Amino acid sequence: SEKEQPAATTLHGVVLEVPVIDMSDPEEEKVVERIAEASRGWGIFQVVNHGIPDEVIRELQRVGKEFFELPQAEKEAVAKDPAGGSIEGYGTSLQKDVDGKRGWVDHLFHRIWPPSAVNYKFWPKNPSSYRDANEEYAKKLLEVGDRLFRSLSIGLGLEAHELKEGAGGEDIIHLLKINYYPPCPRPDLALGVVAHTDMSAITILVPNEVQGLQVFKDEHWYDVKYIPNALIIHIGDQIEILSNGKYKSVYHRTTVDKE
């Protein structure tokens, strides 16, 4: 609708510089404080020096991109099973969401942790290094997730382990979702993903250099500044609820691109 079209609703010429937190800061208390502050006031922040090597992230992005560039029939080999009711698998673009709006996006969804929850049926066989790249990333990701949970927990005045336990402890499911936004002839009228908050506990987003993420702040939509090798952290609905609303889940959307 007109009130949601990105051309009409984006505050142009201003890029939102969400808080950037250096996770290698030797003063752990400072890191905790910054994470808690950003989660209260913004619901989104970027982390640098997070411990996931650049090459692990590059490889994750490479295999994801290669999968989406395959012929449609090959992608359909890991398609969602509508009858099975699972969210896992490949989904094509222009699927309706609840309000009848359509996002200009293809996606692939599957669990990557814990091993007991993984169903390799939904992991692409092509490219051949897809599984290795994702398993390597998952190992590194667990450490980042644990550190975020500890900081968020201490930031609420709880013991370091309590928030993660409240969210499911060692049984927490880690889902990987790749969003692929095909070139769009009218990016001024479309959105990749319509405005929403994430239903997860925490979303750890690996962006690329093509501008897309927008956040709603102070009654305006802003582009979020891209920082190479940073991870973008979204507070999700589950953490907002677990913290009794002290931490805010971030309201965001994705724009698309002609090229």
Side-chain angles (χ1 to χ4, degrees), residues 22-245:
D22 183 350
M23 292 185 83
S24 69
D25 189 322
E27 291 187 56
E28 186 64 27
E29 278 178 22
K30 261 191 195 166
V31 177
V32 167
E33 199 178 300
R34 286 178 189 140
I35 288 174
E37 202 177 302
S39 302
R40 284 192 175 93
W42 290 75
I44 182 173
F45 51 94
Q46 302 206 47
V47 295
V48 293
N49 299 319
H50 39 69
I52 304 183
D54 297 349
E55 60 272 18
V56 171
I57 288 177
R58 273 199 302 273
E59 188 62 4
L60 178 83
Q61 289 176 311
R62 182 186 69 79
V63 296
K65 192 166 182 284
E66 280 185 18
F67 167 75
F68 280 99
E69 287 167 353
L70 291 172
Q72 192 63 24
E74 278 199 65
K75 291 185 284 195
E76 296 288 350
V78 290
K80 288 184 178 186
D81 173 14
S86 169
I87 60 165
E88 292 189 274
Y90 166 73
T92 61
S93 63
L94 300 183
Q95 290 180 324
K96 284 190 176 180
D97 78 355
V98 284
D99 299 322
K101 296 169 194 159
R102 296 162 180 264
W104 193 273
V105 63
D106 291 0
H107 59 261
L108 175 66
F109 233 151
H110 61 73
R111 296 183 174 98
I112 56 170
W113 194 265
S116 59
V118 170
N119 183 349
Y120 289 114
K121 177 175 114 171
F122 295 111
W123 291 45
K125 307 273 186 297
N126 187 7
S128 57
S129 49
Y130 184 90
R131 178 169 166 175
D132 284 349
N134 276 269
E135 289 184 337
E136 188 56 34
Y137 176 72
K139 272 188 279 187
K140 304 286 184 193
L141 184 73
L142 292 174
E143 295 165 27
V144 177
D146 281 352
R147 193 156 172 211
L148 290 169
F149 266 120
R150 286 198 302 274
S151 297
L152 289 164
S153 195
I154 296 164
L156 290 170
L158 301 170
E159 296 292 324
H161 62 90
E162 288 187 89
L163 195 62
K164 183 177 175 181
E165 275 178 22
E170 294 310 311
D171 295 328
I172 288 175
I173 301 282
H174 291 64
L175 276 168
L176 179 99
K177 184 184 188 193
I178 306 176
N179 283 336
Y180 181 85
Y181 305 97
C184 176
R186 288 300 303 273
D188 54 322
L189 302 180
L191 286 167
V193 178
V194 298
H196 66 290
T197 57
D198 290 343
M199 61 175 79
S200 58
I202 300 171
T203 297
I204 299 175
L205 180 70
V206 176
N208 67 10
E209 69 290 345
V210 183
Q211 179 60 52
L213 179 65
Q214 293 192 331
V215 161
F216 193 68
K217 181 114 172 100
D218 306 326
E219 301 306 309
H220 291 288
W221 284 103
Y222 294 89
D223 290 324
V224 174
K225 184 179 180 181
Y226 167 71
I227 298 174
N229 305 320
L231 299 172
I232 301 176
I233 313 299
H234 293 178
I235 298 298
D237 296 340
Q238 293 180 52
I239 290 289
E240 178 167 326
I241 293 162
L242 281 167
S243 69
N244 287 331

